[in-house]
Amino acid sequence: MAKINTVSRGTAKNLDFIHIVLGIVIIVMSVMAFTNPVDNMVLFPLIFFAAAALKIICGVTVVSRYDTEHDKKQRFRGSLQIVAGMIIFGIGIISAVSIWF
């Protein structure tokens, strides 16, 4: 039985490119924030937001690639990544509120 890929190649390449760019941004912001945490305190919530976007994009990619009944395990893993991204986003909001107030 042939497997139908529901994400076009262009969309998959764009999501992979966004994934790589967000990973690099997270690394750069993390290095900046941890080398001088007092001056770069505002970067901590931004790191959480970028990581949340990264997890959500990964989850959406996995869920959209495995859209058949046969691949329930992969869709479940993608759904878990989306939920993890939402939790990380919530931690970012808490971090932002604690820094800015």
Side-chain angles (χ1 to χ4, degrees), residues 10 20 23 26 31 42-43 63 72-73 78-79 81 90-91 94 96 100:
I20 291 168
I26 291 171
V31 169
V42 74
L43 289 177
V63 168
K72 283 186 177 180
K73 183 185 275 186
S79 300
Q81 287 185 352
I91 293 170
I94 292 168
W100 293 325

Side-chain angles (χ1 to χ4, degrees), residues 6-88:
T6 57
V7 176
S8 67
R9 288 180 188 229
T11 305
K13 286 182 181 179
N14 289 341
L15 288 174
D16 288 341
F17 178 73
I18 292 170
H19 184 228
I20 291 168
V21 169
L22 276 174
I24 292 169
V25 167
I26 291 171
I27 291 169
V28 169
M29 285 193 308
S30 298
V31 169
M32 288 174 57
F34 288 110
T35 56
N36 194 356
V38 175
D39 292 338
N40 297 324
M41 192 174 291
V42 74
L43 289 177
F44 287 109
L46 296 176
I47 292 168
F48 283 114
F49 295 145
L54 186 67
K55 284 307 266 183
I56 290 171
I57 288 171
C58 288
V60 168
T61 304
V62 169
V63 168
S64 61
R65 281 188 182 158
Y66 299 100
D67 199 23
T68 62
E69 193 68 27
H70 178 67
D71 298 319
K72 283 186 177 180
K73 183 185 275 186
Q74 292 297 329
R75 290 188 67 196
F76 179 71
R77 288 180 183 164
S79 300
L80 284 179
Q81 287 185 352
I82 293 171
V83 170
M86 291 178 188
I87 291 170
I88 293 169

